[in-house]
Amino acid sequence: MSVNKDIFEPGRDFNYDFESAGKPAPGWRDATRLAETLVPTHCAFCGVQCGMNLKVADGKVIGVEPRNFPHNRGSLCPKGVVAYQQADHPDRLRYPMMRRGGKGSPLERVTWDEALDYIVSRWQRIQAEYGKHAVSIYSGSSMTNEKCYIMGKFARVALGTRHVDYNGRLCMSSAAMAYARAFGVDRAPLPMTDIPLTDCILAVGVNVAECFPIMMQWVWQARDKGANLIVIDPRETPLARTADLWLPVKPGTDIAVLNAMLRQIIADGLVDEEYLKTRTQGWEAVRDEVEPFTLEYAEHLSGVPAKRILAAARLYGRAATSLIMHARGIEHSTHGVDNCLACINLALARGQVGKPGGGTMMVTGQGNGQGGREVGQKANQLPGYRHIDVPEEREHIARFWGIPVEELPWEGAAATEMVHLMADGEIKSCMIVCSNLMVSLPDNQVVQKALQNLDPLVVIDFFQSETANFADVVLPGSVWCEDEGTTTNLEGRVIKINKAADPPGEAQPDWIIVRELAKRLGRGQFFPYQSALDIWNELREASKGGVSDYYGITWEKIDEQEGVFWPCPTLDHPGTPRLFTERFGFPDGRARMFPIPYQPPAEEPGGMYPFRLTTGRVVYHYLSGNQTRRLGFLNSQAPEPWVEIHPQAAARLGIVNEEIVRVRTPRFSMEVKALVVPTIRPDTLFIPYHYGGKQAANQLTNSAVEPTVKIPEYKVCAALVEKLNAPPVSPQGNGVVENFTYENAPKMFPYEIGETKQPPEKDAKAY
Ligand SMILES: Nc1nc2c(c(=O)[nH]1)N[C@H]1C(S)=C(S)[C@@H](COP(=O)(O)OP(=O)(O)OC[C@H]3O[C@@H](n4cnc5c(=O)[nH]c(N)nc54)[C@H](O)[C@@H]3O)O[C@H]1N2
Ligand SMILES: Nc1nc2c(c(=O)[nH]1)N[C@H]1C(S)=C(S)[C@@H](COP(=O)(O)OP(=O)(O)OC[C@H]3O[C@@H](n4cnc5c(=O)[nH]c(N)nc54)[C@H](O)[C@@H]3O)O[C@H]1N2
Ligand code: SF4
Ligand SMILES: [Mo]
């Protein structure tokens, strides 16, 4: 074998430039013209927003490598690694399409002019006949701040409709409202890098390992330094499997556990009286409210053994620094706001909020889930987290936009209400940008009716979605790496997304499509943008003086500081990684505490529906799956949905692993593969919701919403699971198991919960 000796010649000069190694090649901003360039950016998917470099050759994105950024420190999860494959994907939408022959005719390729002219002429006719609010916008938070901002402005200024809302309604609205009510500011109060400073993590309804995988490194650092971990979840998630204590709560009953923990903390004298006196108001009412929540009562309501609640209260209550992380497990609830407030009560009672590594941390979901709810695409909101119903704030933004305040619409319908207005015919047309309602909204028979009623339904997406299948006009948008702009990650850190390639075919960045529509509506003067930077600079100005003040955040500063945390009110301000260190966001600087009574979910099991069905995510798919179901590696890991069922329940029903079973709820039924696992409560079922059509979990879910923020109760409804050949079900029972009811389920399934690493019962007294 011959070896090229040259390579091994001692002293050979490789011309290796150590200075620039690992850094983006000079000129990356012009990546489309350079071969083999690294474009620094962030992941397209979850709220962590990991840093990554996209590899570009001949104007195409050909690969990815992790990028060292303060919060991901050079690592990416399985979704991040393949996100780039969306860019040049064969399924990409490349041309505008329309049903020229009306509903029922096929989608045909048309020119941009034909598509946009058609949309605008229809909108003008509808608005002339039925009023401005007959046209609506349904937007999303997987887009940059610039795009989210322009969607809100387009609805209010170009269309003059009050009906604009976005998919964050289904995601962050409970936590947002709770933080606004308790703290006066809706943002996670501390950065991820603070997590290792805590002595105890209480994770409530958050599946960190699967949904925020790269955040786990901070959890592990805390663990390595001795922090305890308590998990409240009906499923023994990967996080729960590593915990000191797992509290397998019945879906929808967390308030019982949280209130009982607080009661115990009071009884043990672990309340921080000084903090409560100086930094909060409303404590007495909270204290009185939790008084009836004995451990036994909480066990009765929640199904969590009293000893575990006691152990959790002591483990949490005795930690010098403690952090409650929470996500959709408690927020997708008809009392989602109260669930978060119950967490906040605990943290305030322990004097934790505002401390490095302490307090509460809502774990925001979508890539720009934080920014998306601040820049004015939400029904009740204007840029800078201003309120559309506060006269001074309306006037401020109307003046800034250059329209008379009388022209600025008032609050419109929440996303979950909008579908009903569509189904009822009050809303005649909708433009959906960055959302896949047919998969993501609850009780999707109603959604289908709503979408079919619209004329035209306009969808901007880069992949044909289940929702776009109902569209009259489909407009091809760009994926995240084909445009630039900013996102605000789950910490409140504003970061920069960079462009690596041009969109394929005739596809366009969303903001250009919207600008062109505004022009045709005769409102072009309000949308004079030549670049995403133009929009950013306008957004900075618009947010100035608001709660989420971005004014001092320039793209240069983002590069220099590796992201900037809002509020950042002036150009020389460094940004604010930690909130509430001195005061909360109210004039008196104090946090508000609210007594939280126990409330059952909207639909409790009983009669023929003995189980609680909950829905959520798996590591391999993202949201409605319209993106990840097309990425080979991810889809091969989870090509179809399943229903998780406990072995005891399965045995009683004669169900074996991988058998196709039927899951029924009062709304609909679906056939799905059974996954018999000991990691779920015996009275609970779980289906991942990332699939469409007959595989959609949202055929089954309950459309009941939280009364104030209108978030759906995705996390619990009554359900039945049965073998395909099961005899017909009567209201008295399903005929397979007699008296298989909620009330006696715990007795029928004595707990054999997969034991945690350190069985807490044994140690409860020691805590
Ligand atoms: N892989 C992946 N990652 C994602 C996403 C994704 O689609 N896929 N989506 C992103 C988005 S937008 C979001 S919002 C986040 C969501 O992140 P998470 O909220 O962590 O994810 P979910 O699976 O919705 O729900 C979390 C957990 O709540 C539990 N749960 C269900 N009911 C209850 C209950 O009543 N009480 C308690 N305590 N727990 C309950 C479920 O068993 C589940 O383990 O993830 C983000 N990251
Ligand atoms: N049963 C059940 N249902 C749920 C949940 C649950 O836990 N259980 N979770 C809820 C939560 S937390 C969320 S966040 C929602 C998410 O629900 P959706 O917002 O409906 O889901 P996505 O898959 O994000 O839809 C985004 C669509 O827009 C496209 N898209 C992505 N980026 C862009 C972009 O930049 N521009 C444009 N024009 N299009 C883009 C994607 O291809 C996709 O088709 O689902 C909710 N639904
Ligand atoms: S953790 Fe989230 S942001 Fe990071 S690579 Fe995975 S999906 Fe992307
Ligand atoms: Mo979400």
Side-chain angles (χ1 to χ4, degrees):
M1 199 174 78
S2 73
V3 172
N4 182 351
K5 289 216 187 79
D6 259 14
I7 295 175
F8 301 105
E9 212 85 71
R12 181 175 190 264
D13 181 4
F14 280 96
N15 283 331
Y16 193 74
D17 177 2
F18 288 96
E19 283 304 306
S20 60
K23 300 214 175 94
W28 61 265
R29 282 181 193 280
D30 206 4
T32 44
R33 265 185 258 147
L34 281 170
E36 299 282 323
T37 308
L38 290 182
V39 175
T41 190
H42 295 266
C43 179
F45 296 124
C46 86
V48 179
Q49 290 289 280
C50 295
M52 56 168 57
N53 288 317
L54 290 175
K55 296 182 180 178
V56 179
D58 298 329
K60 287 204 187 314
V61 182
I62 56 160
V64 65
E65 60 180 39
R67 166 184 170 213
N68 194 15
F69 208 72
H71 58 262
N72 72 303
R73 302 198 310 175
S75 37
L76 292 175
C77 86
K79 287 183 300 301
V81 169
V82 296
Y84 79 92
Q85 293 172 1
Q86 298 177 89
D88 205 26
H89 198 285
D91 292 354
R92 285 292 298 277
L93 298 175
R94 285 155 203 272
Y95 311 102
M97 290 181 294
M98 248 172 73
R99 294 186 203 279
R100 275 207 183 104
K103 298 249 177 227
S105 68
L107 281 168
E108 305 171 51
R109 179 175 171 179
V110 294
T111 62
W112 275 105
D113 278 337
E114 184 178 348
L116 299 182
D117 285 342
Y118 174 76
I119 296 167
V120 167
S121 68
R122 284 288 301 145
W123 280 349
Q124 284 172 332
R125 223 172 320 145
I126 290 170
Q127 289 193 317
E129 195 169 339
Y130 302 100
K132 299 247 181 220
H133 312 306
V135 176
S136 66
I137 298 289
Y138 190 122
S139 188
S141 263
S142 287
M143 302 191 292
T144 58
N145 286 314
E146 289 76 0
K147 295 180 186 178
C148 294
Y149 169 78
I150 203 179
M151 292 316 303
K153 183 173 175 186
F154 178 77
R156 273 97 180 217
V157 177
L159 285 172
T161 179
R162 62 192 177 96
H163 293 311
V164 51
D165 207 45
Y166 78 122
N167 64 11
R169 181 69 61 184
L170 320 176
C171 178
M172 293 314 299
S173 54
S174 295
M177 176 62 98
Y179 280 52
R181 286 181 67 195
F183 302 146
V185 179
D186 158 27
R187 200 204 92 183
L190 31 81
M192 265 178 269
T193 46
D194 255 19
I195 296 173
L197 303 178
T198 195
D199 300 312
C200 179
I201 297 172
L202 173 59
V204 194
V206 58
N207 183 358
V208 184
E210 292 199 76
C211 297
F212 309 93
I214 299 304
M215 200 177 193
M216 278 305 283
Q217 62 180 304
W218 302 104
V219 173
W220 280 117
Q221 269 201 32
R223 299 286 275 152
D224 288 345
K225 291 168 80 179
N228 287 114
L229 173 63
I230 309 164
V231 173
I232 309 184
D233 197 303
R235 298 186 308 139
E236 194 177 18
T237 59
L239 182 72
R241 292 202 277 280
T242 73
D244 298 291
L245 198 52
W246 170 43
L247 277 56
V249 68
K250 282 181 196 166
T253 65
D254 294 76
I255 288 175
V257 176
L258 297 165
N259 279 359
M261 284 177 68
L262 182 51
R263 182 182 185 276
Q264 189 62 43
I265 282 169
I266 298 169
D268 288 348
L270 295 170
V271 163
D272 187 338
E273 299 286 355
E274 181 59 23
Y275 181 96
L276 287 172
K277 206 167 351 137
T278 55
R279 298 212 53 192
T280 70
Q281 55 167 256
W283 164 239
E284 288 74 17
V286 172
R287 193 188 51 205
D288 296 347
E289 184 71 44
V290 301
E291 182 44 37
F293 286 85
T294 61
L295 299 172
E296 293 68 31
Y297 179 47
E299 170 172 339
H300 165 74
L301 292 173
S302 70
V304 181
K307 281 181 185 165
R308 289 197 183 205
I309 305 175
L310 174 69
R314 298 205 160 143
L315 208 49
Y316 174 78
R318 290 179 183 171
T321 304
S322 53
L323 181 63
I324 303 179
M325 295 166 71
H326 58 92
R328 307 312 83 75
I330 56 166
E331 297 161 21
H332 282 158
S333 158
T334 45
H335 42 270
V337 178
D338 283 353
N339 283 340
C340 300
L341 288 170
C343 290
I344 289 172
N345 284 344
L346 260 181
L348 290 172
R350 286 285 304 131
Q352 294 295 328
V353 185
K355 226 172 160 177
T360 59
M361 183 176 196
M362 61 164 113
V363 190
T364 290
Q366 297 181 78
N368 195 26
Q370 179 69 49
R373 64 184 195 259
E374 302 160 2
V375 298
Q377 61 175 343
K378 198 173 175 180
N380 58 341
Q381 230 172 52
L382 293 171
Y385 223 108
R386 290 190 173 83
H387 300 280
I388 204 158
D389 53 357
V390 174
E392 308 83 72
E393 307 198 340
R394 289 172 63 77
E395 253 158 55
H396 180 89
I397 292 296
R399 202 173 320 120
F400 179 78
W401 281 342
I403 58 168
V405 70
E406 304 74 48
E407 267 183 29
L408 187 65
W410 293 85
E411 175 173 354
T416 38
E417 297 170 325
M418 240 194 244
V419 284
H420 296 290
L421 298 183
M422 296 169 188
D424 296 346
E426 195 174 325
I427 290 177
K428 308 277 179 205
S429 176
C430 182
M431 182 162 78
I432 297 174
V433 186
C434 193
S435 270
N436 190 4
L437 286 56
M438 265 312 287
V439 179
S440 59
L441 279 173
D443 190 6
N444 69 13
Q445 286 78 345
V446 178
V447 183
Q448 175 164 345
K449 180 171 176 228
L451 298 181
Q452 281 167 335
N453 264 3
L454 297 168
D455 192 9
L457 167 60
V458 180
V459 171
I460 310 183
D461 206 311
F462 41 76
F463 290 133
Q464 184 72 12
S465 66
E466 286 79 2
T467 304
N469 288 343
F470 289 97
D472 303 288
V473 187
V474 179
L475 304 175
S478 53
V479 301
W480 99 114
C481 60
E482 293 160 356
D483 192 11
E484 65 178 341
T486 58
T487 59
T488 307
N489 85 341
L490 58 78
E491 307 166 294
R493 190 196 302 256
V494 180
I495 53 179
K496 179 75 200 311
I497 305 296
N498 289 310
K499 179 177 171 179
D502 288 323
E506 294 178 11
Q508 293 278 357
D510 302 306
W511 65 267
I512 292 185
I513 303 172
V514 171
R515 182 191 67 188
E516 294 310 302
L517 283 168
K519 265 189 208 157
R520 285 171 161 80
L521 284 162
R523 304 291 272 177
Q525 72 273 29
F526 298 101
F527 300 83
Y529 320 115
Q530 294 306 312
S531 64
L533 180 60
D534 289 347
I535 308 176
W536 174 246
N537 285 330
E538 182 178 309
L539 164 57
R540 282 176 47 224
E541 295 272 358
S543 75
K544 195 174 178 178
V547 173
S548 60
D549 193 331
Y550 283 26
Y551 178 70
I553 308 178
T554 60
W555 284 1
E556 292 75 25
K557 196 192 257 185
I558 295 175
D559 278 351
E560 281 157 23
Q561 290 187 202
E562 297 187 302
V564 184
F565 291 79
W566 69 259
C568 180
T570 57
L571 290 172
D572 56 4
H573 192 287
T576 317
R578 286 197 191 108
L579 298 176
F580 318 133
T581 49
E582 311 281 319
R583 48 186 292 118
F584 293 93
F586 296 107
D588 64 3
R590 286 164 185 264
R592 299 328 192 222
M593 299 182 85
F594 299 91
I596 305 299
Y598 176 78
Q599 305 135 70
E603 195 172 86
E604 293 251 53
M608 63 187 272
Y609 299 107
F611 286 91
R612 287 173 193 243
L613 169 67
T614 190
T615 60
R617 299 157 162 75
V618 294
V619 67
Y620 296 110
H621 283 299
Y622 193 65
L623 302 179
S624 74
N626 193 33
Q627 294 164 270
T628 48
R629 279 184 273 127
R630 296 171 202 274
L631 302 178
F633 164 70
L634 297 176
N635 205 44
S636 69
Q637 297 300 305
E640 59 182 3
W642 59 86
V643 55
E644 291 183 10
I645 174 169
H646 191 274
Q648 291 172 12
R652 277 183 193 262
L653 295 163
I655 289 169
V656 296
N657 194 33
E658 303 220 332
E659 174 178 348
I660 306 288
V661 293
R662 191 179 301 113
V663 179
R664 311 206 319 170
T665 69
R667 288 151 294 281
F668 213 72
S669 73
M670 72 187 271
E671 293 179 10
V672 62
K673 202 179 259 181
L675 187 69
V676 180
V677 287
T679 50
I680 188 164
R681 284 182 58 94
D683 54 6
T684 301
L685 307 169
F686 169 85
I687 305 179
Y689 91 102
H690 310 287
Y691 306 84
K694 290 188 169 157
Q695 299 186 320
N698 278 326
Q699 298 172 100
L700 306 176
T701 44
N702 188 354
S703 59
V705 295
E706 202 275 354
T708 57
V709 297
K710 320 281 157 109
I711 197 171
E713 190 147 74
Y714 292 121
K715 289 299 187 267
V716 51
C717 68
L720 140 80
V721 56
E722 61 185 359
K723 290 177 83 73
L724 291 189
N725 60 1
V729 183
S730 76
Q732 282 71 44
N734 66 1
V736 177
V737 178
E738 246 182 35
N739 298 326
F740 189 92
T741 61
Y742 165 65
E743 282 70 28
N744 66 14
K747 271 172 269 143
M748 292 173 71
F749 305 129
Y751 274 99
E752 284 170 21
I753 26 193
E755 277 305 340
T756 44
K757 299 291 166 289
Q758 291 155 256
E761 277 82 359
K762 219 170 49 200
D763 298 339
K765 281 200 199 68
Y767 288 135

